[in-house]
Amino acid sequence: MEYYARLRILRRERKLSQREVAKLLNCTQEAYGMYELGKRRISLDKLIILAKYYNTTLDYIAGLSDQR
């Protein structure tokens, strides 16, 4: 599974909007939407913020592991 699909899954599990996650990352909703579509690469810094926020690992987000 690609990282952008995991981002969408994690966000939906928490019942968050793209706008809410974008605010956390200090970016626009449009930019975050592109991350979830895989049309724009997300920086490592932002991935670390999300991993901490979702209480998961970078390996899980990257699709290297199915263990959260």
Side-chain angles (χ1 to χ4, degrees), residues 3-62:
Y3 76 90
Y4 49 86
R6 292 271 166 102
L7 293 178
R8 187 176 319 119
I9 289 167
L10 289 166
R11 178 180 60 79
R12 288 180 174 172
E13 285 177 352
R14 293 257 180 130
K15 297 181 174 36
L16 298 169
S17 69
Q18 287 184 346
R19 187 171 311 280
E20 290 169 313
V21 178
K23 187 175 179 180
L24 172 72
L25 298 177
N26 197 29
C27 67
T28 65
Q29 182 272 320
E30 292 79 11
Y32 183 76
M34 297 294 262
Y35 298 149
E36 280 194 6
L37 291 173
K39 295 188 178 198
R40 186 173 184 177
R41 289 196 173 204
I42 188 169
S43 70
L44 179 58
D45 293 343
K46 286 182 176 20
L47 284 174
I48 291 169
I49 291 168
L50 290 174
K52 288 179 181 178
Y53 182 76
Y54 292 131
N55 194 33
T56 192
T57 64
L58 288 173
D59 282 352
Y60 176 77
I61 292 175

